[in-house]
């Protein structure tokens, strides 16, 4: 079964795509949490961080470098931003196609609510 993010990667579902290459696609989150909220996804379907293989080291690093470049082009590199990958139930993952959230453009406060 193809994920909604695979459909975006393939151009079969509309999205505001801001970057794409042969390994990753980046597009704006449909429910942005801040002025900049971009999702960076591997073009290949990988459900969660748990499913990354040792051989995916370069891909995982590439996702981080794409986030760095997008932060710069969005004008938030200096003011700052947050990178988040949610995983499974306790991580509140909703879409089971690995994605890195790039969030910024306003002060984001504490990282995780203390209970
Ligand atoms: P997560 O909880 O980490 O799995 O976040 C999933 C994010 O994906 C959530 O912030 C909303 C976003 N999202 C879900 N469906 C779509 C979609 O069809 N298009 C876009 N652009 N974003 C989506």
């Amino acid at each position: 079964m193809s994920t909604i993010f695979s459909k975006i990667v393939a151009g079969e579902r509309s999205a505001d795509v801001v970057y794409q290459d042969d390994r990753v696609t980046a597009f704006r989150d449909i429910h942005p949490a801040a002025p900049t909220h971009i999702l960076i996804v591997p073009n290949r379907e990988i459900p969660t961080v748990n499913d990354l293989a040792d051989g995916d080291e370069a891909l995982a690093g590439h996702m981080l470098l794409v986030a760095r470049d997008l932060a710069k082009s969005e004008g938030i590199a200096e003011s700052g931003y947050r990178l988040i990958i949610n995983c499974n139930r306790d991580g509140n993952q909703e879409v089971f196609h690995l994605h890195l959230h790039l969030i910024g453009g306003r002060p984001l406060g504490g990282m995780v609510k203390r209970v």
Side-chain angles (χ1 to χ4, degrees):
M1 253 245 319
S2 197
T3 67
I4 49 172
F5 289 174
S6 281
K7 291 189 169 67
I8 289 171
V9 168
E12 294 164 1
R13 179 181 173 88
S14 71
D16 187 356
V17 174
V18 293
Y19 178 81
Q20 187 165 45
D21 63 25
D22 60 334
R23 289 183 282 172
V24 302
T25 300
F27 51 90
R28 295 191 191 281
D29 194 289
I30 205 166
H31 295 130
T36 292
H37 189 164
I38 292 171
L39 304 175
I40 299 144
V41 315
N43 293 343
R44 176 164 56 91
E45 272 188 31
I46 300 170
T48 78
V49 169
N50 293 337
D51 302 299
L52 280 166
D54 291 346
D56 290 324
E57 190 174 348
L59 173 66
H62 185 55
M63 290 172 69
L64 203 56
L65 294 183
V66 168
R68 174 201 64 185
D69 292 346
L70 287 171
K72 192 169 182 196
S73 61
E74 290 285 310
I76 59 171
E78 297 310 318
S79 55
Y81 53 90
R82 185 166 295 154
L83 300 174
I84 300 172
I85 299 178
N86 295 322
C87 182
N88 282 342
R89 185 187 57 243
D90 284 357
N92 210 39
Q93 184 174 2
E94 292 169 5
V95 178
F96 287 83
H97 183 141
L98 180 65
H99 49 284
L100 176 62
H101 295 254
L102 165 62
I103 301 172
R106 68 168 174 83
L108 296 170
M111 188 169 72
V112 176
K113 202 158 97 184
R114 296 178 196 279
V115 289

